[in-house]
Amino acid sequence: MAKPQEKVSFGQRLKQIGMVFQFTAKQDRWFAPLTAAAVLIPLALTVVAVILWGWLWLPLGILITLLAVLIVLNLRSNKAMMNAAEGQPGAAAQIMESMRGDWRVTPAVSSTTQMDMVHLVIGRPGVILLAEGNPQRVRGLLGQEKRRLAKVIGSAPLYDYVIGQGEGELPIRKLRMTLMRLPRNLQGKDVNALDKRLKALTARPQMPKGAVPKNMRPPRAFRQTRGR
């Protein structure tokens, strides 16, 4: 059974909002001016309303001001996070894990020592492969994963994307919207069944391609024992 989510206290929620404010202000130079406008404009209108029609407009004006600030924070913080995530290894998997909805994410089901990786996502649209890294190398990884998955996914649709800024690639800031617009091809029970089959397929971790690092090789005494 899924564990119930822990309740976040009011103080913790305020701390989280403060951290988001600080992060967004550092990443987005337009955040501070837009936040100031979101505060000053509604407050100015509230003062006019109070003068003309009385103090009953004060609570409404305060609520509108808070709402405007939250809207600015939501829009600009999302953009700031997308800008910060661009070009970072594993960013696509992190974004998918934070998305609302039934998305089953397995990061780096295939990877190389050069930080190229392919993430596996299962959802209502079907099976989705997200590749990050050098376009030429990740296309090879995508081909391998598609051939491997084709044996077990049956008739479920298979989508694949290369994350990047080049021609034919998907910018990471458009990842959420692109996947949300995919058709809902599967029912919930189909997603569960597909998830079980693919977990069995990917249960054994894959070693990255390339030379095995020295710190991953067995000790010399172990190799001598195996050689006897």
Side-chain angles (χ1 to χ4, degrees):
M1 295 180 64
K3 296 181 180 180
Q5 295 183 352
E6 297 182 359
K7 293 184 178 180
V8 179
S9 66
F10 181 73
Q12 291 175 327
R13 182 70 67 185
L14 288 179
K15 185 177 180 180
Q16 291 175 353
I17 294 176
M19 293 173 62
V20 174
F21 261 95
Q22 293 178 359
F23 170 80
T24 309
K26 291 180 180 179
Q27 297 290 330
D28 185 1
R29 62 188 180 91
W30 288 104
F31 176 66
L34 289 174
T35 303
V39 173
L40 295 177
I41 294 176
L43 285 182
L45 294 176
T46 301
V47 171
V48 174
V50 168
I51 294 174
L52 294 178
W53 298 294
W55 290 97
L56 292 177
W57 285 88
L58 182 59
L60 180 60
I62 294 175
L63 290 177
I64 292 176
T65 302
L66 292 175
L67 179 61
V69 171
L70 290 177
I71 291 174
V72 172
L73 176 62
N74 181 57
L75 295 177
R76 305 307 294 189
S77 63
N78 285 336
K79 183 177 180 180
M81 285 188 287
M82 292 299 103
N83 291 336
E86 198 160 358
Q88 297 296 322
Q94 294 179 358
I95 291 174
M96 291 302 306
E97 289 174 340
S98 67
M99 282 182 58
R100 295 181 179 179
D102 189 10
W103 301 98
R104 322 286 177 89
V105 184
T106 306
V109 292
S110 182
S111 61
T112 70
T113 55
Q114 291 84 14
M115 299 303 291
D116 308 303
M117 59 191 72
V118 176
H119 313 297
L120 173 64
V121 180
I122 307 169
R124 295 289 296 275
V127 179
I128 304 166
L129 293 174
L130 302 175
E132 294 184 282
N134 181 277
Q136 295 181 350
R137 291 195 296 262
V138 296
R139 292 189 190 281
L141 292 179
L142 276 177
Q144 295 175 11
E145 285 302 310
K146 289 168 71 173
R147 290 190 294 270
R148 191 166 69 102
L149 295 177
K151 303 175 182 178
V152 294
I153 65 174
S155 59
L158 176 60
Y159 304 89
D160 63 276
Y161 301 95
V162 176
I163 305 300
Q165 296 292 333
E167 184 178 357
E169 298 174 358
L170 177 64
I172 196 167
R173 65 187 62 190
K174 295 183 179 180
L175 176 60
R176 288 181 177 177
M177 187 62 65
T178 299
L179 298 193
M180 291 299 294
R181 289 178 176 176
L182 291 176
R184 299 300 185 254
N185 301 305
L186 304 179
Q187 300 294 326
K189 60 179 181 180
D190 300 325
V191 174
N192 291 331
L194 189 58
D195 188 26
K196 291 180 180 179
R197 295 203 303 269
L198 293 185
K199 278 183 177 177
L201 180 67
T202 59
R204 184 178 180 181
Q206 296 183 346
M207 292 292 292
K209 292 185 177 181
V212 179
K214 292 182 179 180
N215 59 359
M216 293 182 63
R217 295 177 181 174
R220 179 178 298 178
F222 178 78
R223 296 200 299 269
Q224 291 176 350
T225 304
R226 292 292 299 272
R228 292 176 183 175

